[in-house]
Amino acid sequence: MPQATATLTAPARPPAPRRGSGGGSEFAPLLRTIKEQGLLEGRPGWYARGIAVNLLGLAAVVAGLVLLGPTWWALPLAVPLALLSARAAFVAHDAGHAQISADRRHNRLIQRLYANVLLGMSQEWWNDKHNRHHANPNHLDKDPDVAPDILVFAAHQAEGRSGWRGWLTRHQAWLFFPLTTLEGIALKVYGFQALFAADGPYRNRRDRLVEGALLSAHVLGYVALLLTVLTPAQALVFALIHQMLLGLHLGLAFAPNHKGMETPDADGESWGHLRRQVLTSRNIRGGAVTDWFLGGLNYQIEHHLFPSMPRPHLRLAQPAVRAHCRALGIRYTETGFVDSYRQALGHLHDVGEPLRSA
């Protein structure tokens, strides 16, 4: 199953500026500008409205299932449920980045509700994985999102792959989106694997027990709801439609963010925070619909530079970030919606080329 590429938590504040290749901190002037514009200040009202709408939508779908009862006509409700579940994933992501509240405990509580209870996804597993991704995006040795697994993201990772894995690598560009339909299920599996792993990302036994209880509550509640209102066959088909559409939606949001972008050289020049985040990330142009559908992750550059910035401010920060990169001669990558997938899938296709030639 493919690993999600982007991005659920990072440090609440931007990492301390590091010296870039030009000497001095390239990030500090931009950070100063963003702070002066007030773009790191919270937007609790904006998030409160979004959370309320999301919860009401989820409640409406559940009510619809109960009212319709055991009929195949209930299956179309799996489509809005997948969209609302993706909204829940974006809320969990933002809570993990401390974007929603100034109180760390409130963010953690919101993330537990949305990640563990509503999605069945391990908060602790995702936070550990996603923090490492944000610290070293696209670093082939340090970023877990580009570690070789079902998919591989660099030519040397494809070397020697044979059998079933070799076949996957040869055709991974074509298989990418079909594989993302499994992502909703994979996120649950990864969470339970972390829960029972001896080296899981838990600070103490209590955290492990709490998360285990919440993940179990999600699974039991989900299964109980579907089997109570639908026949077993209808429940199975409904769950498959819901989880596959959710996985596809998340794949569409995560896929173009970093695939095919620069990969830091472990033995080469050390990049400062600005270059490390800008050169490895890709933005997607679009308006309100794109922002909604991709959960703000289409402003991937701004999000990586300022992980605690509230989602509605990412668009407002873009002009300052773009101008700063232009002044320093740093490439700022932004492309259209369709072209972003062409570039990402083209990279996966190129990685598999040596195996196809062989």
Side-chain angles (χ1 to χ4, degrees):
M1 299 176 189
Q3 296 182 1
T5 56
T7 254
L8 279 177
T9 190
R13 295 181 177 84
R18 293 180 58 182
R19 293 188 177 272
S21 58
S25 172
E26 297 176 314
F27 179 62
L30 176 61
L31 176 59
R32 200 159 45 241
T33 298
I34 294 298
K35 284 183 175 180
E36 290 171 354
Q37 295 178 0
L39 296 179
L40 293 179
E41 297 176 4
R43 291 288 299 276
W46 186 92
Y47 276 108
R49 289 190 297 271
I51 288 173
V53 170
N54 182 252
L55 291 177
L56 287 173
L58 290 170
V61 170
V62 172
L65 282 171
V66 173
L67 291 173
L68 286 172
T71 171
W72 291 100
W73 291 106
L75 266 58
L77 288 175
V79 177
L81 184 58
L83 289 172
L84 290 165
S85 298
R87 304 303 105 203
F90 296 142
V91 170
H93 168 267
D94 292 0
H97 281 295
Q99 295 177 16
I100 297 177
S101 172
D103 190 318
R104 181 181 178 184
R105 292 171 301 176
H106 292 165
N107 285 306
R108 186 168 177 79
L109 181 62
I110 293 170
Q111 193 185 30
R112 273 188 168 168
L113 169 64
Y114 271 86
N116 292 337
V117 179
L118 295 181
L119 295 175
M121 182 182 68
S122 166
Q123 175 193 45
E124 301 293 347
W125 165 79
W126 179 272
N127 288 350
D128 173 71
K129 172 178 176 288
H130 199 58
N131 275 332
R132 289 184 284 132
H133 160 71
H134 264 266
N136 293 280
N138 258 21
H139 194 294
L140 296 174
D141 297 325
K142 299 179 180 180
D143 183 356
D145 285 351
V146 292
D149 190 18
I150 297 299
L151 303 176
V152 295
F153 306 100
H156 76 273
Q157 294 175 340
E159 294 176 359
R161 286 172 73 97
S162 58
W164 174 244
R165 287 183 176 268
W167 182 85
L168 285 173
T169 302
R170 290 195 298 273
H171 305 286
Q172 63 180 5
W174 295 99
L175 294 172
F176 181 81
F177 284 116
L179 286 171
T180 60
T181 61
L182 303 175
E183 188 65 22
I185 299 171
L187 291 174
K188 295 175 176 57
V189 172
Y190 293 146
F192 277 101
Q193 286 177 341
L195 189 66
F196 294 107
D199 58 347
Y202 298 96
R203 294 171 296 180
N204 51 57
R205 184 169 179 267
R206 179 181 176 277
D207 284 349
R208 190 187 295 267
L209 290 174
V210 168
E211 184 151 273
L214 294 176
L215 292 177
S216 299
H218 166 82
V219 173
L220 293 175
Y222 185 75
V223 172
L225 171 66
L226 295 185
L227 290 180
T228 299
V229 301
L230 301 173
T231 67
Q234 292 165 354
L236 178 61
V237 176
F238 185 97
L240 287 175
I241 295 173
H242 171 216
Q243 297 299 326
M244 291 175 72
L245 288 179
L246 170 61
L248 180 61
H249 191 164
L250 295 179
L252 286 169
F254 297 149
N257 296 342
H258 302 281
K259 300 296 177 282
M261 297 302 296
E262 293 277 359
T263 54
D265 187 351
D267 301 321
E269 181 181 19
S270 177
W271 290 353
H273 177 63
L274 183 75
R275 293 175 185 265
R276 183 167 60 250
Q277 305 300 342
V278 173
L279 294 176
T280 59
S281 303
R282 176 191 292 110
N283 277 16
I284 300 175
R285 286 190 296 270
V289 174
T290 302
D291 292 357
W292 177 86
F293 186 76
L294 298 180
L297 297 179
N298 46 311
Y299 301 104
Q300 190 69 192
I301 293 173
E302 287 72 27
H303 170 58
H304 263 256
L305 287 172
F306 307 100
S308 65
M309 180 179 288
R311 194 194 312 172
H313 289 174
L314 295 172
R315 174 180 58 84
L316 303 178
Q318 188 179 38
V321 174
R322 187 191 287 117
H324 188 67
C325 291
R326 186 186 303 117
L328 293 175
I330 298 175
R331 186 175 68 256
Y332 180 100
T333 302
E334 184 179 33
T335 186
F337 185 83
V338 174
D339 195 50
S340 67
Y341 300 113
R342 183 191 63 78
Q343 292 180 24
L345 296 180
H347 173 71
L348 293 176
H349 183 77
D350 291 343
V351 169
E353 177 59 32
L355 293 184
R356 290 194 300 275
S357 298

